[in-house]
Amino acid sequence: MVWQVQRNVAICAYSLYSMQDSVVVFDMSLTDISKEFTEITLTEIIKKAGGSIYTSYKFGKTFKKGDSYLSKVFRLSVYGLNEDNGRTVEVHLIVKAMPQNMARRAVFRSADFFRNEINFYTYVIPAWEQFQKRHSPQRAFREYPICYVSYCDGENDFIALEDVNVFGYSSPIRQECISLEECLLTMSTLGRFHGISLAFNELEPEKFEETCKYLKETYFAEKYRSWYKDFLKCASVVARDAVKQTFPATKCETIADNFLQENLYDDLISLVSTRSKLSVVTHGDCWTPNFLTRCSPEGRVEAVIMIDFQLARFASLALDISFFIQSLRDSHYETLLKTYHESASKTICALGADSEKALAWSELTKEVKNMGRFGCGMGIESLPLSMIEDGEVKDLDEITADKTLSDIWNIKPFKDARKRQRIADMFKHAVDLDSQSNVRLVEFTDTLTKISLLLSTVQFRKHSLIILLTKIRFVSRKNCLVHELLAIILKRTFHGSK
């Protein structure tokens, strides 16, 4: 029996109330999302949710300024019907779309990030789901929003994702720290997320490698140096000031000063490009707002969902771990890492792979120590941005064509000692970990700085560089930092020639 329905397609104007500012916005329509977001799109959404036709839609509350730099974000509810059984269908969405302001698009390189996240949902997630289906784990990894529809042409891009807020998930307040309980559950979720890749790579390496090719580096690559370098200088000034005022004349200040040099971007490029047996599909942007939590009626954190995969990349799992941990918990570091390892290992075993072979504890700790400085590199961006007050966030829709990333993210040294402390503690954590490691961050940064200074005044031949490197006492021939140093130095000296 086909049910007769009256299609309500005239619903296009709603009063929207910001959750924080109660600002009323009128005249919202589908074209405000994208000219490619049409009634056909709504029908596609309803069909994916088990219906056959859409009947109406309405927009929800807007987001506060600063919640999204790369995109404009909408809440949208779509209603429909399954004509075969008369069942009503209701889908609540978060729709991310390209900003209308072209200058904003250019400053934040929105097209690159949209393409990468859409590829993640279009190619990586289906490959993961098919892999898990073939190996039948008792508990499949599903801790991400459903993608109902997306469109990508570099100009009219959008992605419509399940709004998990309706299931009780919410993000932490940007300026506040999260509890240890939330940290532990987040690390457990991150372990399951990486565990899929580790098992996939062990059991079906060719399919795994093919899947990873769809992800492209969006942040640290030579072609993005000019885009990011000025902001990185600003972030380095803020970090250096925080450490100097919090831990003056200490080893922590020395390490931070050496780390925050002009060659930092080279090091970050090297870290995201390094491949090992622990390379996985990483989230790439592991700061707390991208892990939404749900609490029980008693207020206990019981579940985590991961969102925002614009920076997803094929790289070392240690990049995600170091990014999340470095800015959060010092005294609980080992507990957090063990929670991650246990969760990843269980996921690997559940998929039929050998967890000891895929992720031995000794290999994990070594990888994190070798790659852990990445957390500081990302933390000098994410921590200051997370501590900006709402009133300090610029109006992104007023960006003009002459603006750059550093003009918009124009962060300054903090006057609030508590905020400086959070940044400084990140470096103190790195120093404390470094003291337990055979790979010394202070020696690495000191030596790299000295070599860079030499190269700025002396023309070396390649064999001279190799001789020089072999004389550096802390670098053994088996140490992976040799390859990083060689890659950076040779590139800077010979302008990329082989």
Coordinates of all heavy atoms in Angstrom, one line a residue, residues 92-137:
H92 N 18.6 13.5 12.2 CA 19.2 14.8 12.7 C 20.6 14.9 12.2 O 21.4 13.9 12.5 CB 19.1 14.8 14.2 CG 17.6 14.8 14.7 ND1 16.8 15.8 14.6 CD2 16.9 13.7 15.2 CE1 15.6 15.5 15.1 NE2 15.6 14.2 15.4
L93 N 21.0 16.0 11.6 CA 22.3 16.1 11.0 C 23.1 17.3 11.4 O 22.6 18.3 11.9 CB 22.1 16.2 9.5 CG 21.3 15.2 8.7 CD1 21.0 15.6 7.3 CD2 22.1 13.9 8.7
I94 N 24.4 17.1 11.4 CA 25.4 18.2 11.4 C 25.9 18.3 9.9 O 26.5 17.4 9.4 CB 26.5 18.0 12.3 CG1 26.0 17.9 13.8 CG2 27.6 19.1 12.2 CD1 25.5 19.2 14.3
V95 N 25.6 19.4 9.3 CA 26.1 19.6 7.9 C 27.2 20.6 7.9 O 27.0 21.8 8.3 CB 24.9 20.1 7.0 CG1 25.4 20.1 5.5 CG2 23.7 19.1 7.1
K96 N 28.3 20.2 7.4 CA 29.5 21.1 7.2 C 29.6 21.5 5.7 O 29.5 20.6 4.9 CB 30.8 20.4 7.7 CG 30.7 20.1 9.2 CD 32.1 19.7 9.7 CE 32.5 18.3 9.3 NZ 33.8 17.9 9.9
A97 N 29.8 22.8 5.5 CA 29.8 23.2 4.1 C 30.9 24.3 3.9 O 31.4 24.9 4.9 CB 28.4 23.8 3.7
M98 N 31.3 24.5 2.7 CA 32.3 25.5 2.4 C 31.8 26.9 2.8 O 30.6 27.3 2.5 CB 32.6 25.5 0.9 CG 33.2 24.2 0.4 SD 35.0 24.1 0.8 CE 35.7 24.9 -0.7
P99 N 32.6 27.7 3.4 CA 32.2 29.1 3.8 C 31.9 29.9 2.5 O 32.5 29.7 1.5 CB 33.5 29.7 4.5 CG 34.3 28.5 4.9 CD 34.0 27.4 3.9
Q100 N 30.9 30.8 2.6 CA 30.6 31.6 1.5 C 31.7 32.6 1.2 O 31.9 33.0 0.1 CB 29.2 32.3 1.7 CG 28.1 31.3 1.7 CD 26.7 32.0 2.0 OE1 26.7 33.1 2.6 NE2 25.6 31.4 1.6
N101 N 32.3 33.1 2.3 CA 33.4 34.1 2.1 C 34.6 33.4 1.5 O 35.3 32.5 2.0 CB 33.8 34.6 3.5 CG 34.9 35.7 3.5 OD1 35.7 35.7 2.6 ND2 34.8 36.6 4.4
M102 N 34.9 33.8 0.2 CA 36.0 33.2 -0.5 C 37.4 33.4 0.1 O 38.3 32.6 0.1 CB 36.0 33.7 -1.9 CG 34.7 33.5 -2.7 SD 34.3 31.7 -2.8 CE 35.6 31.1 -4.0
A103 N 37.6 34.6 0.8 CA 38.8 34.8 1.5 C 39.0 33.9 2.7 O 40.1 33.4 2.9 CB 38.9 36.3 2.0
R104 N 37.9 33.6 3.4 CA 38.0 32.6 4.5 C 38.4 31.3 3.9 O 39.2 30.5 4.5 CB 36.7 32.6 5.2 CG 36.6 31.6 6.3 CD 35.2 31.6 7.0 NE 35.0 30.5 7.9 CZ 33.9 30.3 8.5 NH1 32.8 31.1 8.3 NH2 33.8 29.2 9.3
R105 N 37.8 30.9 2.8 CA 38.1 29.6 2.2 C 39.6 29.5 1.9 O 40.3 28.5 2.2 CB 37.4 29.4 0.9 CG 35.9 29.2 1.0 CD 35.4 28.8 -0.4 NE 33.9 28.8 -0.4 CZ 33.2 28.4 -1.4 NH1 33.8 27.9 -2.5 NH2 31.9 28.4 -1.4
A106 N 40.2 30.6 1.4 CA 41.6 30.6 1.0 C 42.5 30.6 2.2 O 43.5 29.8 2.3 CB 41.9 31.8 0.1
V107 N 42.2 31.4 3.2 CA 43.0 31.4 4.4 C 43.1 30.1 5.1 O 44.2 29.7 5.5 CB 42.5 32.5 5.4 CG1 43.1 32.3 6.8 CG2 42.7 33.9 4.9
F108 N 42.0 29.4 5.2 CA 42.0 28.1 5.9 C 42.1 26.9 5.0 O 42.0 25.7 5.4 CB 40.7 28.0 6.8 CG 40.8 28.9 7.9 CD1 40.0 30.1 7.9 CD2 41.6 28.7 9.0 CE1 40.0 30.9 9.0 CE2 41.6 29.6 10.1 CZ 40.8 30.7 10.1
R109 N 42.3 27.1 3.6 CA 42.4 26.1 2.7 C 41.3 25.0 2.8 O 41.5 23.8 2.9 CB 43.8 25.4 2.8 CG 45.0 26.3 2.5 CD 46.3 25.6 2.6 NE 46.3 24.2 2.4 CZ 46.5 23.2 3.3 NH1 46.8 23.5 4.5 NH2 46.4 22.0 2.9
S110 N 40.1 25.5 2.9 CA 38.9 24.7 3.2 C 38.8 23.5 2.2 O 38.4 22.4 2.6 CB 37.7 25.5 3.1 OG 37.7 26.5 4.2
A111 N 39.1 23.8 0.9 CA 38.9 22.7 -0.1 C 39.7 21.5 0.2 O 39.3 20.4 0.0 CB 39.2 23.3 -1.5
D112 N 41.0 21.7 0.6 CA 41.9 20.6 0.9 C 41.4 19.8 2.0 O 41.4 18.5 2.0 CB 43.3 21.1 1.2 CG 44.0 21.8 0.0 OD1 43.7 21.4 -1.1 OD2 44.8 22.7 0.3
F113 N 40.9 20.4 3.1 CA 40.4 19.7 4.3 C 39.1 19.0 4.0 O 38.9 17.9 4.5 CB 40.3 20.7 5.4 CG 41.7 21.1 5.9 CD1 42.1 22.4 5.6 CD2 42.5 20.3 6.7 CE1 43.4 22.9 6.0 CE2 43.8 20.7 7.1 CZ 44.2 22.0 6.8
F114 N 38.2 19.6 3.2 CA 36.9 19.0 2.9 C 37.2 17.7 2.1 O 36.6 16.7 2.3 CB 36.0 19.9 2.1 CG 35.0 20.6 2.9 CD1 35.3 21.8 3.5 CD2 33.8 20.1 3.1 CE1 34.4 22.5 4.3 CE2 32.8 20.7 3.9 CZ 33.2 22.0 4.5
R115 N 38.1 17.8 1.1 CA 38.4 16.7 0.3 C 38.9 15.5 1.1 O 38.5 14.4 0.9 CB 39.4 17.1 -0.8 CG 39.7 15.9 -1.8 CD 40.8 16.3 -2.8 NE 40.5 17.6 -3.4 CZ 41.2 18.7 -3.2 NH1 42.2 18.7 -2.3 NH2 40.9 19.8 -3.9
N116 N 39.8 15.8 2.1 CA 40.4 14.7 2.9 C 39.4 14.1 3.8 O 39.3 12.8 3.9 CB 41.5 15.3 3.7 CG 42.6 14.2 4.1 OD1 43.0 13.5 3.2 ND2 42.9 14.1 5.3
E117 N 38.5 14.9 4.4 CA 37.5 14.2 5.3 C 36.5 13.5 4.4 O 36.0 12.4 4.9 CB 36.8 15.3 6.1 CG 35.8 14.7 7.0 CD 35.3 15.6 8.1 OE1 35.1 16.8 7.9 OE2 35.1 15.1 9.3
I118 N 36.1 14.0 3.3 CA 35.1 13.3 2.5 C 35.7 12.0 2.0 O 35.1 10.9 1.9 CB 34.7 14.2 1.3 CG1 33.8 15.3 1.8 CG2 33.9 13.4 0.2 CD1 33.4 16.3 0.8
N119 N 37.0 12.0 1.6 CA 37.7 10.7 1.2 C 37.7 9.8 2.4 O 37.6 8.5 2.2 CB 39.1 11.0 0.8 CG 39.1 11.6 -0.7 OD1 38.1 11.5 -1.4 ND2 40.3 12.1 -1.1
F120 N 37.9 10.3 3.6 CA 37.9 9.4 4.8 C 36.6 8.7 4.9 O 36.6 7.4 5.1 CB 38.2 10.2 6.0 CG 38.1 9.4 7.3 CD1 39.2 8.6 7.7 CD2 37.0 9.4 8.1 CE1 39.1 7.9 8.9 CE2 36.9 8.7 9.3 CZ 38.0 7.9 9.7
Y121 N 35.5 9.4 4.8 CA 34.2 8.8 4.9 C 33.8 7.9 3.7 O 33.0 7.0 3.8 CB 33.1 9.8 5.2 CG 33.0 10.2 6.6 CD1 33.5 11.3 7.1 CD2 32.4 9.3 7.5 CE1 33.4 11.6 8.5 CE2 32.2 9.6 8.9 CZ 32.8 10.8 9.3 OH 32.6 11.0 10.7
T122 N 34.3 8.3 2.5 CA 33.9 7.7 1.3 C 34.7 6.4 1.0 O 34.2 5.4 0.5 CB 34.1 8.6 0.1 OG1 33.4 9.8 0.3 CG2 33.7 8.0 -1.3
Y123 N 36.0 6.3 1.4 CA 36.8 5.2 1.1 C 37.4 4.5 2.3 O 37.3 3.2 2.4 CB 38.0 5.7 0.3 CG 37.7 6.3 -1.0 CD1 37.7 7.7 -1.2 CD2 37.2 5.6 -2.1 CE1 37.4 8.3 -2.4 CE2 36.8 6.2 -3.3 CZ 36.9 7.5 -3.4 OH 36.5 8.1 -4.6
V124 N 37.8 5.2 3.3 CA 38.4 4.5 4.5 C 37.4 3.8 5.4 O 37.5 2.6 5.7 CB 39.2 5.5 5.3 CG1 39.8 4.8 6.6 CG2 40.4 6.1 4.5
I125 N 36.3 4.5 5.7 CA 35.3 3.9 6.6 C 34.6 2.7 5.9 O 34.5 1.7 6.6 CB 34.2 5.0 7.0 CG1 34.8 6.0 8.0 CG2 33.0 4.3 7.6 CD1 35.2 5.4 9.3
P126 N 34.2 2.8 4.7 CA 33.7 1.6 4.0 C 34.7 0.4 4.0 O 34.3 -0.8 4.2 CB 33.3 2.0 2.6 CG 33.1 3.5 2.8 CD 34.1 3.9 3.8
A127 N 35.9 0.7 3.8 CA 36.9 -0.4 3.8 C 37.1 -1.0 5.1 O 37.2 -2.2 5.3 CB 38.3 0.2 3.3
W128 N 37.1 -0.2 6.2 CA 37.1 -0.7 7.6 C 35.9 -1.5 7.9 O 36.0 -2.6 8.5 CB 37.1 0.5 8.5 CG 38.5 1.1 8.8 CD1 39.6 0.8 8.1 CD2 38.8 2.1 9.7 NE1 40.7 1.5 8.6 CE2 40.2 2.4 9.6 CE3 38.1 2.8 10.6 CZ2 40.9 3.3 10.3 CZ3 38.8 3.8 11.4 CH2 40.1 4.0 11.3
E129 N 34.7 -1.0 7.5 CA 33.5 -1.8 7.8 C 33.5 -3.1 7.1 O 33.1 -4.1 7.7 CB 32.3 -0.9 7.4 CG 32.1 0.3 8.3 CD 31.0 1.2 7.9 OE1 30.5 1.0 6.8 OE2 30.6 2.1 8.7
Q130 N 33.9 -3.2 5.9 CA 34.0 -4.4 5.1 C 35.0 -5.4 5.7 O 34.8 -6.6 5.8 CB 34.3 -4.1 3.6 CG 33.2 -3.4 2.9 CD 33.7 -2.8 1.6 OE1 34.7 -3.2 1.1 NE2 32.8 -1.9 1.0
F131 N 36.1 -4.8 6.1 CA 37.2 -5.6 6.8 C 36.6 -6.2 8.1 O 36.8 -7.4 8.3 CB 38.4 -4.8 7.1 CG 39.4 -5.4 8.0 CD1 40.2 -6.5 7.5 CD2 39.6 -5.0 9.3 CE1 41.2 -7.1 8.3 CE2 40.5 -5.6 10.1 CZ 41.3 -6.6 9.7
Q132 N 36.0 -5.4 8.9 CA 35.4 -6.0 10.1 C 34.3 -7.0 9.9 O 34.2 -8.0 10.6 CB 34.9 -4.8 11.0 CG 35.9 -3.9 11.5 CD 35.4 -2.8 12.4 OE1 35.3 -2.9 13.6 NE2 35.0 -1.7 11.7
K133 N 33.6 -6.8 8.8 CA 32.5 -7.8 8.5 C 33.1 -9.1 8.1 O 32.6 -10.2 8.5 CB 31.7 -7.2 7.3 CG 30.5 -8.1 7.0 CD 29.6 -7.4 5.9 CE 28.4 -8.2 5.6 NZ 27.5 -7.6 4.6
R134 N 34.2 -9.0 7.4 CA 34.9 -10.3 7.0 C 35.5 -11.0 8.2 O 35.6 -12.3 8.2 CB 36.0 -10.0 6.0 CG 35.6 -9.6 4.6 CD 36.7 -9.6 3.6 NE 37.7 -8.6 3.9 CZ 37.7 -7.3 3.4 NH1 36.7 -6.9 2.7 NH2 38.7 -6.5 3.7
H135 N 35.9 -10.3 9.2 CA 36.5 -11.0 10.4 C 35.7 -11.0 11.6 O 36.1 -11.6 12.7 CB 37.9 -10.2 10.6 CG 38.8 -10.4 9.5 ND1 39.7 -11.4 9.4 CD2 39.1 -9.6 8.4 CE1 40.4 -11.3 8.3 NE2 40.1 -10.2 7.7
S136 N 34.5 -10.5 11.6 CA 33.4 -10.7 12.6 C 33.9 -10.5 14.1 O 33.8 -11.4 14.9 CB 32.8 -12.1 12.5 OG 32.3 -12.3 11.2
P137 N 34.4 -9.3 14.4 CA 34.7 -9.1 15.8 C 33.4 -9.0 16.7 O 32.4 -8.7 16.2 CB 35.4 -7.7 15.8 CG 34.8 -7.0 14.7 CD 34.6 -8.1 13.6

